[in-house]
Amino acid sequence: MNGAAARQNGAAPSNGALLEVRRLKKYFPVKRGLFSRVTGHVRAVDDVSFTVGRKETLGLVGESGCGKTTAGRTILRLLEPTAGEVVFEGRPVFEVPRGELRRMRRHMQIIFQDPYGSLNPRMTVAGIVGEALGVHGIARGAERREMVKELLEKVGLNPDHLTRYPHEFSGGQRQRIGIARALALRPRFIVCDEPVSALDVSIQAQIINLLEALQDEFELSYLFIAHDLAVVEHISNRVAVMYLGEIVELAASVELYRRPLHPYTEALLSAIPVPDPTTKRKRIILPGDVPSPVDPPRGCRFHPRCPRRFEPCDGMPPPLTDVGGGHLVACYLHVNAN
């Protein structure tokens, strides 16, 4: 089954996990006072587990500040974890020494959110895209130049733009340069950190289509981080919903959009615009603000804002439980409180 067919069916690939994330935690210390004493921790990612299959796209969605980007960067060890483990192709990422980590990173890359701030303004396109080829000793000189030209063609750019600088390109073109840079080492797994959120809507569709085409051609796996659920629905095989550092629901894309179980997921989906002026969707307005990740609520972290909360919700945190067909949810409406 190719990537497009798998996305249409909403099915996860059956050929095993490329990446396994187990009980991942990332806390940031809060320091106060004259001596900068640690007085607490921001629980940006708190006990998160999921897998990404080979040639699969797992969408990771949630409000700004829920921990999506921190999770992606910790998986790649751009941030050191507080606890948990990440296993890539059977090898524990957090345990490998620094020298070996560089070799592993050839197969794990990232596309950054900001196409303006993520490219060095003093480097030409040839330098930006080809730098990793030189660092890893893959190609130099004329050979490297030809490889960069080929990469630019793959992402829809003119190979003659090698000597130009980032400020000479539009936002969509800059993001294509960032994608070419991520592809340079022929990785197997890419973290797409909100790669279209800074782009115009028309350009977003072009970049999403490009990522899908590249996934099929290079047999890539994506962790696609976004807050736009309409974009995630289009590209993802499965979708994980994060709230305040935790995953509250995870299911095949078609299943999640057709039958959301967690009240937070229902609220997020109700905010997706309907491209038909004659159709009206009832918007779910959540009361209050997102609680502080320094002092999250006890029990279910969503319960202070949940319109359907009841007695068990402020006690023990609900476990993330499979309620059938690989549909996971952490909510006492669907999970036995005992």
Side-chain angles (χ1 to χ4, degrees):
M1 179 183 293
N2 62 28
R7 281 185 289 272
Q8 184 176 1
N9 292 331
S14 59
N15 49 351
L18 178 75
L19 181 85
E20 297 178 65
V21 179
R22 303 170 182 163
R23 309 203 69 174
L24 181 65
K25 297 182 180 181
K26 177 58 183 177
Y27 297 172
F28 295 96
V30 177
K31 298 180 180 180
R32 291 193 177 96
L34 181 63
F35 299 102
S36 296
R37 293 176 178 171
V38 176
T39 58
H41 289 86
V42 175
R43 301 180 181 185
V45 179
D46 201 4
D47 206 8
V48 164
S49 299
F50 58 81
T51 62
V52 180
R54 298 180 186 276
K55 296 183 284 185
E56 179 189 20
T57 299
L58 176 68
L60 189 60
V61 302
E63 294 171 288
S64 296
C66 72
K68 307 183 300 294
T69 293
T70 301
R73 296 191 179 200
T74 306
I75 287 168
L76 298 180
R77 211 167 145 184
L78 298 177
L79 297 171
E80 289 297 327
T82 301
E85 49 181 339
V86 171
V87 179
F88 178 71
E89 295 188 318
R91 303 179 65 193
V93 175
F94 299 154
E95 297 178 12
V96 299
R98 284 286 176 181
E100 194 173 341
L101 180 62
R102 171 181 283 192
R103 291 190 292 273
M104 181 180 284
R105 279 184 173 153
R106 288 182 57 175
H107 308 297
M108 305 171 70
Q109 292 293 309
I110 185 170
I111 300 169
F112 294 99
Q113 174 180 359
D114 184 4
Y116 298 90
S118 61
L119 303 180
N120 190 331
R122 298 186 179 185
M123 294 179 68
T124 63
V125 172
I128 291 170
V129 178
E131 183 179 26
L133 297 172
V135 168
H136 288 270
I138 295 174
R140 299 187 185 278
E143 182 184 4
R144 185 168 92 176
R145 191 177 182 87
E146 288 304 311
M147 290 182 70
V148 172
K149 283 185 177 181
E150 181 183 345
L151 286 166
L152 293 181
E153 289 181 335
K154 292 287 185 186
V155 300
L157 291 176
N158 191 330
D160 295 334
H161 292 166
L162 284 175
T163 57
R164 292 191 180 184
Y165 290 86
H167 73 270
E168 300 179 73
F169 296 91
S170 67
Q173 289 174 320
R174 293 186 197 192
Q175 195 60 290
R176 290 175 187 269
I177 295 170
I179 294 171
R181 177 176 59 184
L183 284 175
L185 298 176
R186 296 297 192 269
R188 290 188 278 275
F189 172 68
I190 297 179
V191 173
C192 303
D193 184 11
E194 305 211 32
V196 298
S197 64
L199 307 177
D200 293 339
V201 174
S202 60
I203 306 300
Q204 287 183 7
Q206 295 176 20
I207 297 299
I208 291 297
N209 291 336
L210 172 63
L211 289 172
E212 289 181 339
L214 293 172
Q215 180 176 39
D216 292 338
E217 180 176 354
F218 292 97
E219 299 187 346
L220 298 167
S221 297
Y222 293 142
L223 176 64
F224 193 92
I225 298 168
H227 61 266
D228 187 337
L229 274 78
V231 170
V232 172
E233 180 182 17
H234 182 74
I235 194 173
S236 300
N237 300 96
R238 293 183 299 142
V239 178
V241 181
M242 281 190 75
Y243 182 79
L244 209 62
E246 296 181 337
I247 290 180
V248 297
E249 189 165 3
L250 193 158
S253 178
V254 172
E255 168 71 7
L256 185 101
Y257 284 80
R258 180 181 64 84
R259 191 173 68 99
L261 298 181
H262 199 283
Y264 178 62
T265 308
E266 293 177 351
L268 289 179
L269 293 178
S270 75
I272 299 177
V274 179
D276 182 355
T278 64
T279 302
K280 293 184 179 181
R281 174 179 286 165
K282 184 179 179 181
R283 176 76 184 273
I284 300 174
I285 307 297
L286 297 175
D289 298 319
V290 179
S292 169
V294 177
D295 186 24
R298 57 177 301 201
C300 174
R301 295 186 176 182
F302 183 63
H303 87 264
R305 307 175 68 198
C306 182
R308 300 165 66 186
R309 63 182 179 270
F310 62 115
E311 185 178 352
C313 298
D314 60 355
M316 293 293 294
L320 189 65
T321 303
D322 191 335
V323 295
H327 194 149
L328 309 180
V329 64
C331 179
Y332 284 128
L333 291 169
H334 307 281
V335 176
N336 195 319
N338 297 324

